Amino acid sequence: MHILAINGSHRAGKGTAALLQAALEQAAACGAETELVELARLDIGYCAGCNACLAKPTCTLSDDMDGLVEKMRVADGIILGSPDYFANVSARMKTFIDRTRPLHMAENVLKGKVGGMVSTSGLDNCGAEETMGVMDRFFAVHEMLVVHPRPAGPVLANGATGSQFAGFDERGRVQWRRVEDDTTAFAFARQLGVDMAELVRRLVEK
Ligand SMILES: Cc1cc2nc3c(=O)[nH]c(=O)nc-3n(C[C@H](O)[C@H](O)[C@H](O)COP(=O)(O)O)c2cc1C
């Protein structure tokens, strides 16, 4: 069982990476082989819009996307992570998403694989749901099966969405925290790892 996490943050190893790592650690504890790929460490160019992938499942560009596509082909589960940038995914994540078009036009390569997503935001209620929605839609376009985790305890539906918002002080000024201190988001991320591993096992090892 292979579970691959792809981080669209411009800041490798920061808040979004921490949430992804939490999910991967739980997946590994459930028996998965895991890997975290930082898009910030790769050279992935914009889709050129040439439409060559309408005819055959290849891309006219050649860069670090080639290796990442091979990892996605092997993976049973793929977790995307992106910071919330203006209620959307980062430009780095969107560039990656666009470059996966050859995987779903002439062929439907990712069909039936398991997907899941995490996001991080500066504030609460300031675009996390939309950011998650973009990644959710990515999985739908690829006809993947998406895990929406819900750990025991908090009755929330917005998934593993971490924030740096720690409330207001007595004078109404915003207080900040590290995403790593958002315990609810990490509970969701850990549940995502467990649920993904369970679903992959049901699909692959039944
Ligand atoms: C260009 C830019 C746009 C952002 N837009 C939003 C936003 O719309 N809503 C929000 O809550 N936070 C926003 N943020 C804050 C980031 O989502 C937040 O810092 C995130 O946790 C960074 O993740 P990282 O630690 O992986 O870099 C924005 C940050 C930047 C740099």
Side-chain angles (χ1 to χ4, degrees):
M1 183 190 342
H2 296 268
I3 296 187
L4 174 70
I6 299 172
N7 184 15
S9 174
H10 302 296
R11 304 191 313 152
K14 298 294 186 180
T16 312
L19 271 181
L20 289 169
Q21 283 287 10
L24 290 183
E25 279 167 25
Q26 290 304 306
C30 295
E33 289 178 40
T34 64
E35 183 179 3
L36 171 64
V37 170
E38 298 273 11
L39 293 182
R41 298 209 168 104
L42 301 184
D43 175 22
I44 295 177
Y46 295 131
C47 167
C50 68
N51 284 330
C53 59
L54 299 186
K56 49 183 181 173
T58 56
C59 185
T60 52
L61 304 177
S62 184
D63 54 24
D64 287 339
M65 192 67 188
D66 301 344
L68 188 48
V69 164
E70 288 316 306
K71 289 180 192 291
M72 293 172 77
R73 284 181 184 275
V74 171
D76 303 296
I78 298 170
I79 309 177
L80 298 186
S82 178
D84 163 8
Y85 275 19
F86 284 87
N88 213 315
V89 294
S90 68
R92 202 177 282 281
M93 175 55 71
K94 184 59 166 67
T95 299
F96 157 79
I97 287 173
D98 291 348
R99 288 289 304 280
T100 67
R101 193 180 188 223
L103 299 176
H104 92 106
M105 296 305 290
E107 282 182 18
N108 201 7
V109 173
L110 302 181
K111 178 179 179 177
K113 294 181 187 284
V114 176
M117 60 272 173
V118 310
S119 79
T120 56
S121 302
L123 297 166
D124 286 349
N125 305 313
C126 192
E129 282 200 48
E130 289 88 342
T131 305
M132 295 289 271
V134 170
M135 294 184 278
D136 207 359
R137 190 72 200 141
F138 164 86
F139 294 122
V141 167
H142 282 288
E143 212 179 337
M144 293 174 66
L145 307 169
V146 188
V147 170
H148 293 98
R150 184 186 149 184
V155 184
L156 299 170
N158 54 347
T161 55
S163 95
Q164 296 163 321
F165 179 69
F168 300 99
D169 69 8
E170 67 286 351
R171 292 167 61 188
R173 292 173 304 198
V174 171
Q175 302 296 295
W176 301 103
R177 66 181 173 189
R178 295 174 344 129
V179 166
E180 287 85 337
D181 295 326
D182 185 340
T183 54
T184 304
F186 276 80
F188 274 84
R190 289 193 294 273
Q191 191 68 46
L192 172 61
V194 171
D195 291 355
M196 281 194 88
E198 278 181 6
L199 181 54
V200 168
R201 183 160 286 128
R202 279 193 217 168
L203 293 168
V204 176
E205 300 173 6
K206 68 181 175 191

